[in-house]
Amino acid sequence: MFALIDCNNFYVSCERVFDPKLQGQPVVVLSNNDGCVIARSAEAKALGIPMGIPFFKVKDLISQHQIQVFSSNYALYGDMSQRVMQTLATLCPDLEVYSIDEAFLDFSGFQAQPLQQGQLIRQTVGQWTGIPVSIGIAATKVLAKVANKLAKQNGGVFVLSPSKVQAVLMTLPVEEVWGISSRWGQRLRALNISTAAELQATNLNLMRQQFNIVLERIVRELRGESCLPLESIVNPQQSLVVSRSFGQPITTLPELKQAVATYVSRAAEKLRSRQLTTSYLTVFVRTNRFQENYEAPNASQGLLTPTNHTGKLLEIALRCTESLYQPGRAYKKAGVLFQGLGSAQSIQQSLFEESDSEKGAALMVTMDRLNRRYGRQSLHYGATGTRQPWAMRSDQRSPQYTTRWQDLPEVHARAREI
């Protein structure tokens, strides 16, 4: 038995944990630079706000219905996700973190009935984190995905027993099966396969010949044959990118270098937190793709010795930025890509480069420790600047309640008169 735990309207739920007045109100969360709607509460969905619509197109509707609007607060969402996953790990050690708001659990071995165990997990996650979840339980991961859709309509927990599978799959469009893309859906419909039940009953050899082994496994999973085990070991990360669109176009080299330096600093911090180094760095910049003469150049350089030292990476990245900059261009976006990632515990030193790795590592440890204690960017390289007028717009972002001391919620108590 597998269980899929899915956090309900996750970004919205994170906002509601620290602002209970939002319960029952329509709420939307916006993408980077407050561009598009990327999360909606059930109340906002009922008002007809579609996913991904540009914010400016629904401003009148938002004003009319007094919909609460928030800029993305990824620091808060990431930390709340970690808390949910840690809670799940204490309740079921065999889990696979599938995304920021989803996890698969291995439900075999529990003494309690699946429904009772699911209700216990749902109650505990809600009590410990404040995040509501839906839990679908079935014999395979694909069927657990199907069960999770029904859980959202049936009290939060749904067990898809073998006796119910056929009836449920008959009502499910083939495109809504986990792993079936819209393109595959069109090809399947051309073969007169329009529901999950018809896909379940199809010929396995035909699916492998017409598509590939992936679709064959999906069909087997729909039949109750487990082909997709839990992936408890995370695949080694191959690359890391930090990229943002600017709040306003950048036209000068100093501002562009400042933005790239900020992204390099953040990416290097992520490397160190994951005990990784990089051996290949790429800087890329973009003009506005909706205007004429769109340009998207990039510049790369390999490193003789892999590193996660911010200062060394900044030196290379800023040289790349200088080679990319063209006067008269208005840049809308920039980013940095680290490739050739490896373990920070086993760095192969170069014969052609002096090494001060111990001093550099100590400096980075100190900087990270101070920034964790006093807040990000409390200690930073001067190349990132102090004023950043180009920074991404987030005019309606909530406080980072769980990751910044300055944003800790305050509780005021008043003495009761006797």
Side-chain angles (χ1 to χ4, degrees), residues 23 34 63 80 102 121 160 171 177 213 251 317 349 379 396:
Q23 295 292 344
D34 295 345
S63 176
M80 292 301 293
E102 290 180 290
I121 290 175
L160 184 57
T171 64
V177 175
I213 193 172
T251 57
Q349 299 292 335
L379 181 63
Q396 300 170 88

Side-chain angles (χ1 to χ4, degrees), residues 5 7 10 79-90 95 100-101 103 125 129-131 133:
I5 285 76
C7 301
F10 181 58
D79 187 69
M80 292 301 293
S81 172
Q82 186 175 13
R83 294 179 184 215
V84 170
M85 301 308 167
Q86 288 174 340
T87 301
L88 293 175
T90 65
L95 89 161
I100 191 173
D101 61 349
V125 172
T129 69
I131 301 295
V133 299

Side-chain angles (χ1 to χ4, degrees), residues 66-87:
Q66 297 183 325
I67 299 173
Q68 303 298 309
V69 179
F70 291 90
S71 303
S72 297
N73 189 342
Y74 296 119
L76 174 65
Y77 308 152
D79 187 69
M80 292 301 293
S81 172
Q82 186 175 13
R83 294 179 184 215
V84 170
M85 301 308 167
Q86 288 174 340
T87 301

